[in-house]
Amino acid sequence: MSDPVQHPRIRPVRQGNAFEEAVERILDSIRLGLFRMGERLPPERETAAMLGISRATLREALHELQAAGVLEVVRGRYGGTIVTGRTALPDETLPPADPADVEDVLVFRAVVEPAAAELAAAASLSAAAREHLLTCLRQVEESPPEDYRPADARFHIAVAELGGCPSLVRAVAEVRSRASDLLDRIPVLAVNLEHSDRQHRELTDAVLAGDAPAARAASLAHLEGTAALLRGFLGHGGQPEDDGAPGDDRGSA
């Protein structure tokens, strides 16, 4: 009896943003040539096991990558999830992003935004300040996909404003502007927006409760999800390639 087909290994997710990390890992595997144009990905059960996530989460990732044009699902005996070879970005008029610039933005965000969230939670907030944050949260939650990112940026800046440090507000505004420029180069993924809304709510709750460590942790967890998508679609500069431990698949079926 012949040996079973040995598919290339996809590295497991390592963090709590299972969907976003799965998208990153699949895109990395395509970019690295583990799966070339016209090739099929391994069966769902095998791919989910490689990534250390549930099949339900994997299906969400595959569905969004299919909508983005990266994968194509072919039915029938010789079908499967086929790599189209397209990891191009939705706005073809934008110049390619430099992976080093991508990494610079992501590192800078991971420094300034959690600090801003922590400072906001430690501040003594007036009723007007609390209502302003909740208004910004509602606006981003109620935004249609085409208007989501500007509202998202306003929410993040609103968090920074609560800390009362103008220099930090300017830093957050600057890095958010740079991040928005990168986000314009990748598709809007519906599942990611759902995750973002939940994480925005967790961040808001921590700030309003005055829980500075929780606010910092919520901000960092949120940024890690965005970073996974940007690294996946745009490439990354020097991130470690270790296998790591499987991530926390929140929402596993």
Side-chain angles (χ1 to χ4, degrees), residues 224-235:
E224 286 170 348
T226 303
L229 292 183
L230 287 171
R231 288 181 177 126
F233 279 101
L234 304 182

Side-chain angles (χ1 to χ4, degrees), residues 23-25 27-28 31 227-236:
V23 169
E24 179 190 15
R25 293 293 188 263
L27 289 169
D28 273 351
R31 186 178 293 107
L229 292 183
L230 287 171
R231 288 181 177 126
F233 279 101
L234 304 182
H236 55 75

Side-chain angles (χ1 to χ4, degrees), residues 142-151 184 188 193:
E142 295 169 1
S143 292
E146 62 271 18
D147 296 329
Y148 189 92
R149 285 171 177 166
D184 286 343
V188 175
L193 299 191

